[in-house]
Amino acid sequence: MKVLIVEDEIRIREGLEILLGKFQDLQLTGIAEDGEEGLEAIRKWNPDIVITDVRMPNMDGLEMLKQVAAEGIKIKAIVLSAYSEFEYARQAMKLGVTEYLLKPVSVHEFSNAIENIRREIEKEQQRNPSQLGTLEHILQAILNNQLEINDEVLAYLRNNYQIEEKQPYVILCVYIGGDYERNLETYKRYFQQTLSYYDTSYAIIESEYHSSIIIIMYGYQSANDLERWLQRQILGYSEQKLAVGWFEMNEIRSLRAGFDLLYPYMDWNISLNRKILISYPKIKNVQTAACIYPMDIETKVRLLMCNDYNTEKVKELVDKFHESFQDGQIYLPKEIKECYVRFLWAVIGLSKEMGYLKSEEIEQQAVLNLIMNAKIREELVFATNMVFSAIRADSEENISHLTVKKMKGLIKEYYRSITLEEIGAKLNMTPEYLGTLFHKEVGVSFSNYIKKYRISKAKELLCGTEMKLYQIAEEVGYTDSKYFSKVFKETTGQLPTEYRKIYR
């Protein structure tokens, strides 16, 4: 609900702003310092609630409310006054002021006043649909279960919009997705222009919760003709990236139930070509093929991650993964989503294990929600890009000290056998100084760092090669394979053979 504050004392205005911030459904649309400014603000912003002081310069709050009533502007008013202004309170009640609060306003009293207004607005909307304003607002209230379809509502729709209780209707759901806010007005204009060429009445409803616009059409001659025209005109020729669902009904009372049936099937846009209208209940009869998980692609991605992570090669494999579900077959969207979850969870798990990805760098629940709620292919691609963009196969700590950078370069090249003394000899510095400097810059001791580096190389070989255990131990600098296994388990919590079984 939109709220306007009309108050000349800055301290009280600031206090009211703080109180409003405690209510998620209240939006402060403006502030005025006297009745004259308040009257102009009411005319401009049409707020649902006006909070006004009684005594103000130029025009007081009651005079402002009298003028508002004379102009036929419908608002709910909360009037503030001091104890000494009781007579003003009596006048305010005559003006139909909803709530009257004495200064200073307490949180409890303010909350009660807002709750009373909220209940009153809901009751009025149920009693009188004209309070909702336009046809779009009325239909939106019906869709949101905020308006009961009673005889008064039906009479209002009949008299004002020539809408009958029982007549053919079509629900057209246009799913916009993550670009909802940015592209909302563009899509609305597009459909207004397009539908102007067809002999039908319609109302366009915004639904941010569903990331969609919902178009209710009525007064057309033939539903079959309208459906074919929409398929050809909107999906056949349009360059817009649209995901569109269709549902027919024969009475206005079925509006909410019809949309609830249609919306879950919007994710069939993932399985079908974007140029196909998702028509319920026809979509329930679509024949699908078994969706086979592309294990070979996952294996190749794993090998690249374990051996030589190449961004371009990984991208090629990820593109092939996307293409696996666009091979001309029709798969259940649920099964496609499950394949994406399986693939990305495997990538995330291995990336964390290899040290390419830190837990705080990716929110798996957000990725899961994005996949499971997806209605179009682009959202699955976006979720995949979100994961792979967080992977840093060549990431190193941000080291600014040149000497430590040189030390790391030597470790990378000679990690199998290099010692701190040998690095000191190469850099012409004492081992003691290098050890202290390394620990200060990197955060771990040289010995722990090189041990973890060797184990990370061992992980790559365990996942990406068929080498024997003793060969891997020798490759990373351990002459005794049993000692290597002991160190590996101390570091990872698993024996090398156990690790290979899990991550191969």
Side-chain angles (χ1 to χ4, degrees), residues 6 34-40 42-43 50 52-73 75 77-80 87-97 100:
V6 186
D34 59 44
E36 288 183 354
E37 287 185 13
L39 184 59
E40 289 301 316
I42 291 170
R43 292 166 177 161
V50 175
T52 179
D53 195 359
V54 171
R55 290 190 172 179
M56 293 179 292
N58 300 323
M59 179 188 287
D60 66 28
L62 297 185
E63 187 61 35
M64 177 190 73
L65 293 176
K66 287 178 184 178
Q67 185 62 38
V68 168
E71 294 181 16
I73 302 173
I75 59 170
I78 298 176
V79 170
L80 312 178
E87 183 57 35
Y88 283 96
R90 292 173 56 183
Q91 295 181 43
M93 296 308 174
K94 291 179 183 179
L95 287 171
V97 169
Y100 189 93

Side-chain angles (χ1 to χ4, degrees), residues 82-191:
Y83 280 104
S84 60
E85 299 164 340
F86 182 72
E87 183 57 35
Y88 283 96
R90 292 173 56 183
Q91 295 181 43
M93 296 308 174
K94 291 179 183 179
L95 287 171
V97 169
T98 309
E99 297 291 328
Y100 189 93
L101 300 179
L102 295 175
K103 299 177 182 179
V105 179
S106 71
V107 175
H108 177 70
E109 290 173 340
F110 188 80
S111 298
N112 286 340
I114 294 297
E115 188 58 36
N116 290 339
I117 289 175
R118 187 184 288 113
R119 283 197 295 265
E120 189 170 330
I121 288 175
E122 290 175 354
K123 287 179 181 178
E124 287 179 358
Q125 288 177 348
Q126 291 177 351
R127 290 195 307 266
N128 186 1
S130 63
Q131 293 288 328
L132 290 169
T134 64
L135 175 61
E136 285 77 12
H137 288 145
I138 294 171
L139 295 177
Q140 188 167 48
I142 294 173
L143 275 170
N144 294 337
N145 276 339
Q146 295 173 339
L147 181 64
E148 179 187 351
I149 305 179
N150 53 29
D151 291 341
E152 186 177 358
V153 171
L154 293 171
Y156 185 85
L157 290 173
R158 185 185 308 111
N159 295 333
N160 290 275
Y161 300 104
Q162 294 73 54
I163 291 178
E164 299 294 334
E165 175 184 2
K166 294 185 182 296
Q167 71 179 76
Y169 296 92
V170 164
I171 300 174
L172 201 70
C173 179
V174 182
Y175 181 77
I176 302 174
D179 291 333
Y180 176 83
E181 188 172 341
R182 181 165 58 90
N183 291 335
L184 174 62
E185 293 304 321
T186 300
Y187 277 96
K188 285 177 65 178
R189 286 194 298 270
Y190 171 75
F191 275 93

